[in-house]
Amino acid sequence: MTTQHHTQRRSILLVRASWRIDAVTGADRAVSSLAAALAAAGHQAVIATAAEQCDGNGLPGVIVEQLDLPLTFPCTSHALREALITNEVKIQHSLSMLIARRRIDTVVLMGALWGLGRLRTALPHGVQRVLVVPALPLEQDMPPALAYADTVITSCDAVLQQATTAAWPTRRWRVVPNAPLHNPGIPAPVARKAEAPVRVLATAGQDVGVLELIAAARAWHRHVEVALAPPGPDDIRSGRDLRQQCRMLANRAPNITLTPVPGWAEIPGWLADAAAVIIPCRRPTSSMTALEALSQGTPVIAYNTGILSDLLQPLQHGPRQLLADVMHGPNALLFFTDGLLADPASYRAACQAAYWRAQDLRPARVAQLFCSALP
């Protein structure tokens, strides 16, 4: 007999304390992409957040609910952890009311801390508890989050391997890749793309590597446009300093432009109009920018780190490298980008390979994979 749980309509609650619809990259955008994919596939997708939302159009078919968490966002991981400990009963009541009102059958905690995964939260009978781990969190958050989860999902084999190496129990872990927030678009003509600027979309935070990339690119002959997104919650103070340093360096380099960050819905078009996209992050926790660039047929150059390696390694068949060793620094990223753009045949192949790689990860397929991973 054929099982039906893969195709039945589910009611899924995605919990992410910091989520805002206007996120242009990172884990919050990954929440948006998963919710949008599930809604488009016919499921009820609800996002629960404690952050205030901006005005404007939402995600089609996605319901957004406000969590009762007495905390002002953005806040640090330490402040959130303390708030969860102090207000555990209040948060559990808020979630229970939401689960009952929306008839939720699956609660997806988008992170061990920011998804409230470390919270005990007794769920009603029959409601599944799923933990999504985009990257291994701090060790103090992992044990309770794993103890309470029915299923653990991560976006790539590299994180699963890291968890296995760290001796975490991974029997209930499943790998489900991220999807781009929008379906793959029709790529621009290759000849026109090759003449466009190289673009960088990165948060102004630690381990992002954008300052080092700007410093290296000052001596480069190609035009680079850099959009600096707001820093993560633990990088707010240092992010202001980093943004100022980036601006000072860019002002002295005629080939580098610091451009305003596009709106959250305009990101795919902005990435589509680049000759290539460089991801300078030395320790990425999200592949969303790279994935959305690929979905527009734009090649991506990045460091050979776990999450991006899983995404970009299948494109490494041609003569031009796309992944640089972190130890070789930003000059290696520029060198690989230059070599790709200077070779028309390799560049055309890279654009086509990027587009077809994103076809494998289109939202409808990822929504199906996600639901199939649930018991």
Side-chain angles (χ1 to χ4, degrees), residues 265-283:
E266 281 73 54
I267 289 297
W270 190 78
L271 297 172
D273 290 337
V277 168
I278 295 178
I279 310 290
C281 192
R282 296 182 291 265
R283 190 169 54 90

Side-chain angles (χ1 to χ4, degrees), residues 17 29 59 183 206 283 301 317:
R29 193 163 178 91
L59 298 167
N183 277 304
Q206 298 175 2
R283 190 169 54 90
I301 311 295
H317 300 308

Side-chain angles (χ1 to χ4, degrees), residues 14-329:
L14 307 174
V15 182
R16 172 86 175 166
S18 63
W19 180 84
R20 284 175 55 97
I21 193 172
D22 56 350
V24 295
T25 189
D28 285 349
R29 193 163 178 91
V31 175
S32 301
S33 71
L34 178 57
L38 291 169
H43 304 285
Q44 176 178 256
V46 183
I47 297 176
T49 175
E52 283 189 25
Q53 300 304 300
C54 61
D55 295 330
N57 296 329
L59 298 167
V62 176
I63 301 165
V64 179
E65 295 278 5
Q66 204 71 25
L67 277 179
D68 185 11
L69 180 59
L71 194 63
T72 301
F73 287 86
C75 71
T76 64
S77 298
H78 175 75
L80 177 60
R81 197 176 289 108
E82 291 297 311
L84 297 185
I85 294 171
T86 305
N87 299 279
E88 183 172 354
V89 174
K90 174 182 276 195
I91 300 167
Q92 176 159 333
H93 177 72
S94 179
L95 281 173
S96 298
M97 296 289 288
L98 179 53
I99 290 168
R101 180 158 51 84
R102 294 294 182 183
R103 298 183 179 180
I104 299 297
D105 57 59
T106 307
V107 175
V108 182
L109 304 165
M110 305 296 293
L113 176 60
W114 293 93
L116 314 190
R118 62 170 290 137
L119 214 59
R120 188 176 293 107
T121 315
L123 299 179
H125 178 70
V127 177
Q128 296 185 57
R129 179 177 173 126
V130 178
L131 175 68
V132 171
V133 182
L136 292 191
L138 292 177
E139 193 163 326
Q140 59 186 314
D141 299 316
M142 197 68 160
L146 288 180
Y148 306 143
D150 298 312
T151 303
V152 181
I153 291 177
T154 187
S155 63
C156 69
D157 291 319
V159 175
L160 176 57
Q161 182 59 48
Q162 290 168 8
T164 303
T165 302
W168 295 113
T170 56
R171 182 176 55 85
R172 291 172 290 122
W173 287 52
R174 303 291 182 269
V175 175
V176 178
N178 287 326
L181 184 53
H182 302 83
N183 277 304
I186 300 174
V190 172
R192 179 160 62 85
K193 280 184 70 68
E195 299 301 320
V198 174
R199 284 181 166 166
V200 178
L201 173 63
T203 56
Q206 298 175 2
D207 286 322
V208 172
V210 68
L211 180 63
E212 294 86 344
L213 181 68
I214 291 175
R218 289 184 300 167
W220 208 29
H221 63 99
R222 296 191 182 274
H223 184 201
V224 184
E225 292 183 354
V226 180
L228 283 177
D234 292 318
D235 291 328
I236 293 174
R237 181 175 298 177
S238 61
R240 295 194 196 100
D241 296 336
L242 187 143
R243 184 182 293 272
Q244 186 175 7
Q245 290 175 288
C246 287
R247 188 166 299 282
M248 289 174 58
L249 283 179
N251 287 341
R252 299 172 190 161
N255 67 318
I256 300 175
T257 303
L258 283 191
T259 184
V261 179
W264 67 272
E266 281 73 54
I267 289 297
W270 190 78
L271 297 172
D273 290 337
V277 168
I278 295 178
I279 310 290
C281 192
R282 296 182 291 265
R283 190 169 54 90
T285 57
S286 170
S287 61
M288 285 303 297
T289 297
L291 176 57
E292 292 191 276
L294 297 182
S295 75
Q296 303 302 314
T298 302
V300 174
I301 311 295
Y303 288 123
N304 192 11
T305 56
I307 294 174
L308 293 179
S309 295
D310 272 23
L311 181 63
L312 299 176
Q313 196 66 49
L315 307 180
Q316 288 277 93
H317 300 308
R320 297 297 175 183
Q321 284 189 263
L322 304 175
L323 293 166
D325 289 334
V326 175
M327 67 172 60
H328 294 152

